[in-house]
C-alpha cells in the first residue's frame, strides 16, 4: 500500500521513504522523557561473519550444520553439513541460547522473512549461521531481552527493522540505524507477563522437537527400519535390479531409495492405501489469490509457510469453491507436492495438521493425505523419517517441477508394528502437536499484549 508522510526533521533515516515509518516519530514525539530506549542500549547487534568462503559438503559426523536465513525459521531447523576447516570465524557464527536472530537480507514483500525475528532455543543451539542473519545478544536482564524479542515480532517491530534498510533490490539493515530504533518499554508487571509468555514459547518449541524425535526413535529402532536406513541413507547415483511390476518407466521411482523400497515391500504386507480411503490423496485446485484485509477473507498458507515454526499467512478472499479443496482437517497429512529434488527442498516433506493449521486455506502445491483415524500419527512419523522421505520422493514424476503420483503413493509399504509401539508413537506425536500449538498461542498472546496494551499509549 502506498503512503505519504510528514516529518519535522530531515535525517539520513528520512531522506528515503523506505527508511521511514510514522511510529518512529510518534514514539519520540508523544513521550518526551518517558521510558523509551534505543535498541542498541537493550541488545548488542552484530553479524556472525562477513568473510566469503567456499562451503564443502561432508558427512554429518565430520562437519558442522550450517543454517541459512530461511532454515532458522523452520519447525525442524536442518541445514547443510559442511567442513569446519573451510569456515572463517567459526565460533562467532555458532548459535547460543537466547539470541534474537533477525533475517537480514531480502525484499519488502508482506509475507517475506526479511526483518522478522526468531529467538534461539535448543532446536538451533550449536549450529552455525550465515552472514545474512543478524544476531542480537542480551545485554540486560532476561525479562527485558524477551520483551525486546516480542516487540520485534509485532507488526510495528517488523516495520521498524525494515525502516533501517539500505540497498536496491536486496535490502539489508544498516546497523547504525538499527541501533537507534526506539523500543517503548511498559511497566514492570506487563514486561514480566510478556517475558513469561516468551519463556513458555521457548520451552514448548523445544518440547515439540523432543516429542517428534522420540516418536521417530520408536519406529527407527525396528530391525527392518535399520536395514532400510542403511540401504538409502547415502544419496548417490544408483543402479538396481527391479523384479516387481512396472507401474512407471521412470527409473528414479525404483532406484532413488536404493533397495529400501523392495526390501520393505517384502517385509511389510500393509500398504499406505490400506489406511487411506479412495480419493483421499489429492492436490487442491489452482485459483486466483486476491488480497484483502480482516475480517474479510481467509488466512492462506503457501508451501513454505507450512514448514515454518511461525507461519506468515497472507489474507485472501475466499475463492468460492468447496472448503474440502481449500482446507484440510486436523489430523491429516500435508506433503510438499511440487518441487525439485534438492536435499534442502520441501518437496516430499511431511506436515501433521494441528488445530492451528486446520483453520487456514492451503496452496494447491501441498498434497493432502487423509489417513484413517488412529493411523495418522504413525503415518506422519513414518514419512517424516529419512526412509519415509526417500520413499515419498520415489513416487515423483515429471521433468523440471516434479509431482507425486497418488497410485504410486498408495502402493508404498506401511509399517506393521506392535500395539504398544503404536500407542507410544501416537502419544509422542499428540504431545508434540500440543506443544507446538501452546508455543504458537503463547507467542501470539505476547504480541497481542504489546499491540493492544502497550503501543496504543505510545501511538495516541
Amino acid at each position: 500500500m502506498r503512503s505519504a508522510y510528514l516529518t519535522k526533521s530531515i535525517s539520513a533515516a528520512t531522506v528515503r521513504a523506505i527508511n521511514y515509518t510514522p511510529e518512529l516519530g510518534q514514539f519520540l514525539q508523544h513521550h518526551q522523557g518517558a521510558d523509551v530506549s534505543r535498541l542498541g542500549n537493550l541488545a548488542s547487534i552484530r553479524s556472525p561473519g562477513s568473510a566469503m568462503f567456499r562451503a564443502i559438503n561432508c558427512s554429518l559426523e565430520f562437519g558442522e550444520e550450517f543454517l541459512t536465513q530461511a532454515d532458522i525459521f523452520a519447525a525442524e531447523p536442518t541445514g547443510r553439513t559442511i567442513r569446519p576447516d573451510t569456515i572463517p570465524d567459526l565460533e562467532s557464527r555458532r548459535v547460543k541460547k537466547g539470541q534474537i536472530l533477525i533475517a537480514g537480507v531480502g525484499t519488502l514483500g508482506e509475507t517475506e522473512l526479511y526483518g522478522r525475528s526468531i529467538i534461539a532455543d535448543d532446536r538451533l543451539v550449536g549450529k552455525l549461521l550465515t552472514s545474512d542473519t543478524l544476531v542480537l545478544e542480551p545485554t540486560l536482564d532476561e525479562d527485558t531481552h524477551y520483551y525486546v524479542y516480542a516487540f520485534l515480532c509485532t507488526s510495528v517491530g517488523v516495520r521498524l527493522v525494515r525502516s533501517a534498510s539500505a540497498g536496491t533490490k536486496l535490502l539489508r539493515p544498516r546497523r547504525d540505524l538499527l541501533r537507534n530504533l526506539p523500543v517503548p518499554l511498559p511497566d514492570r508487571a506487563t514486561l514480566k507477563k510478556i517475558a513469561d509468555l516468551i519463556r513458555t514459547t521457548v520451552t514448548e518449541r523445544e518440547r515439540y522437537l523432543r516429542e517428534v524425535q522420540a516418536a521417530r526413535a520408536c519406529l527407527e529402532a525396528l530391525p527392518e527400519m535399520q536395514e532400510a536406513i542403511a540401504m538409502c541413507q547415502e544419496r548417490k547415483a544408483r543402479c538396481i535390479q527391479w523384479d516387481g511390476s512396472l507401474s512407471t518407466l521412470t527409473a528414479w521411482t525404483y532406484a532413488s531409495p536404493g533397495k529400501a523400497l523392495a526390501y520393505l515391500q517384502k517385509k511389510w504386507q500393509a500398504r499406505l492405501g490400506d489406511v487411506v480411503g479412495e480419493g483421499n490423496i489429492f492436490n487442491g485446485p489452482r485459483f486466483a489469490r486476491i488480497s484483502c484485509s480482516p475480517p474479510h477473507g481467509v488466512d492462506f498458507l503457501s508451501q513454505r509457510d507450512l514448514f515454518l515454526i511461525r507461519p506468515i499467512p497472507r489474507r485472501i478472499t475466499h475463492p468460492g469453491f468447496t472448503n474440502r479443496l481449500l482446507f484440510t482437517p486436523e489430523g491429516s497429512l500435508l506433503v510438499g507436492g511440487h518441487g525439485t529434488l534438492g536435499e534442502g527442498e520441501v518437496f516430499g516433506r511431511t506436515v501433521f495438521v494441528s488445530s492451528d493449521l486446520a483453520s487456514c486455506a492451503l496452496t494447491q502445491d501441498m498434497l493432502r493425505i487423509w489417513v484413517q483415524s488412529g493411523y495418522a500419527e504413525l503415518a506422519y512419523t513414518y514419512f517424516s523419517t529419512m526412509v519415509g522421505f526417500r520413499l515419498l520422493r520415489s513416487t515423483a514424476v515429471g521433468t523440471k517441477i516434479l509431482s507425486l503420483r497418488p497410485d504410486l503413493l498408495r502402493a508404498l509399504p506401511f509399517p506393521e508394528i506392535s500395539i504398544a509401539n503404536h500407542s507410544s508413537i501416537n502419544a509422542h506425536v499428540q504431545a508434540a502437536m500440543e506443544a507446538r500449538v501452546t508455543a504458537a498461542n503463547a507467542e501470539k498472546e505476547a504480541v497481542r499484549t504489546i499491540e493492544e496494551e502497550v503501543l496504543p499509549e505510545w501511538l495516541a
Side-chain angles (χ1 to χ4, degrees):
M1 182 176 66
R2 295 182 180 181
S3 60
Y5 64 88
L6 296 173
T7 181
K8 290 190 173 182
S9 61
I10 297 296
S11 70
T14 55
V15 171
R16 299 173 68 209
I18 195 176
N19 294 130
Y20 183 81
T21 185
E23 291 87 359
L24 273 170
Q26 287 178 279
F27 285 149
L28 301 174
Q29 177 183 348
H30 294 296
H31 284 263
Q32 292 292 340
D35 192 11
V36 58
S37 298
R38 305 290 179 158
L39 185 58
N41 297 329
L42 300 175
S44 169
I45 304 171
R46 66 177 181 83
S47 294
S50 58
M52 299 291 289
F53 65 96
R54 180 187 175 194
I56 302 176
N57 293 343
C58 68
S59 300
L60 187 60
E61 62 269 27
F62 302 114
E64 295 276 1
E65 197 170 344
F66 207 60
L67 300 177
T68 66
Q69 180 177 272
D71 292 331
I72 64 174
F73 291 91
E76 297 185 49
T78 305
R80 290 174 61 188
T81 302
I82 60 178
R83 278 174 42 182
D85 59 300
T86 65
I87 308 171
D89 308 319
L90 186 145
E91 287 306 318
S92 71
R93 298 173 183 271
R94 198 175 300 281
V95 179
K96 299 178 180 63
K97 190 164 184 175
Q99 291 175 330
I100 299 172
L101 310 179
I102 302 177
V105 177
T107 60
L108 298 175
E110 181 184 355
T111 59
E112 292 295 316
L113 292 176
Y114 174 62
R116 300 184 187 275
S117 305
I118 195 76
I119 194 157
D121 53 45
D122 286 345
R123 299 171 310 117
L124 295 163
V125 168
K127 300 180 181 182
L128 304 181
L129 298 171
T130 67
S131 305
D132 293 340
T133 305
L134 288 175
V135 178
L136 273 61
E137 303 271 9
T139 56
L140 300 178
D141 60 282
E142 189 177 76
D143 282 359
T144 302
H145 187 66
Y146 281 165
Y147 171 81
V148 169
Y149 167 69
F151 172 73
L152 293 176
C153 288
T154 65
S155 56
V156 171
V158 174
R159 288 200 297 272
L160 286 177
V161 172
R162 289 182 170 189
S163 74
S165 297
T168 52
K169 181 173 175 59
L170 284 180
L171 305 174
R172 296 174 184 268
R174 272 178 49 182
R175 269 181 280 176
D176 58 330
L177 298 181
L178 205 57
R179 292 189 185 97
N180 202 40
L181 293 180
V183 179
L185 298 177
D187 59 83
R188 200 66 199 179
T190 304
L191 188 145
K192 179 72 165 61
K193 171 187 171 184
I194 292 167
D196 286 342
L197 288 168
I198 298 303
R199 284 191 187 91
T200 300
T201 298
V202 170
T203 302
E204 293 300 303
R205 282 178 179 166
E206 292 171 346
R207 183 164 76 96
Y208 159 76
L209 187 57
R210 284 198 307 271
E211 294 289 352
V212 168
Q213 290 173 338
R216 291 189 191 127
C218 293
L219 197 57
E220 290 175 335
L222 298 174
E224 54 267 39
M225 282 292 286
Q226 289 292 311
E227 287 288 337
I229 290 170
M231 290 175 178
C232 67
Q233 188 167 26
E234 189 177 359
R235 189 170 186 260
K236 62 181 182 180
R238 300 181 187 275
C239 178
I240 64 168
Q241 288 184 329
W242 185 259
D243 57 1
S245 61
L246 288 173
S247 52
T248 173
L249 294 179
T250 306
W252 169 263
T253 301
Y254 303 107
S256 60
K259 297 180 180 179
L261 176 58
Y263 172 76
L264 291 178
Q265 283 179 337
K266 292 174 181 176
K267 279 289 182 179
W268 294 331
Q269 298 305 307
R271 299 291 181 260
L272 179 60
D274 297 334
V275 296
V276 177
E278 196 66 40
N280 285 344
I281 300 179
F282 61 96
N283 286 95
R286 295 181 63 86
F287 59 93
R289 302 164 190 176
I290 303 172
S291 298
C292 67
S293 300
H296 307 290
V298 295
D299 284 336
F300 171 80
L301 296 177
S302 69
Q303 191 168 232
R304 177 211 69 178
D305 294 324
L306 285 157
F307 293 90
L308 301 182
I309 194 65
R310 187 177 68 232
I312 309 168
R314 173 184 171 189
R315 197 73 178 180
I316 64 167
T317 59
H318 195 293
F321 49 75
T322 175
N323 282 344
R324 181 183 187 276
L325 300 176
L326 189 61
F327 301 91
T328 194
E330 184 178 354
S332 54
L333 303 186
L334 296 171
V335 179
H338 292 127
T340 58
L341 297 171
E343 283 293 277
E345 297 292 324
V346 299
F347 177 63
R349 300 193 183 274
T350 309
V351 176
F352 187 92
V353 179
S354 53
S355 57
D356 54 337
L357 299 181
S359 60
C360 296
L362 303 173
T363 173
Q364 73 276 1
D365 293 323
M366 293 302 291
L367 185 74
R368 287 78 159 162
I369 303 180
W370 293 2
V371 184
Q372 291 176 14
S373 178
Y375 290 95
E377 292 85 357
L378 175 58
Y380 165 71
T381 304
Y382 173 47
F383 288 123
S384 65
T385 64
M386 188 269 292
V387 172
F389 170 61
R390 296 275 188 246
L391 294 183
L392 283 174
R393 282 194 167 185
S394 76
T395 68
V397 294
T399 51
K400 180 173 175 57
I401 301 299
L402 304 173
S403 59
L404 304 176
R405 262 183 57 174
D407 61 327
L408 296 179
L409 282 166
R410 296 179 67 84
L412 289 179
F414 194 76
E416 296 173 345
I417 59 176
S418 67
I419 294 175
N421 207 2
H422 194 162
S423 298
S424 181
I425 288 172
N426 286 358
H428 283 306
V429 173
Q430 289 163 9
M433 295 308 130
E434 178 189 340
R436 178 170 178 165
V437 171
T438 301
N441 289 341
E443 190 173 72
K444 287 176 185 175
E445 178 61 19
V447 169
R448 185 207 64 79
T449 302
I450 294 175
E451 291 182 336
E452 297 183 9
E453 298 180 22
V454 178
L455 295 184
E457 177 188 354
W458 292 81
L459 298 176

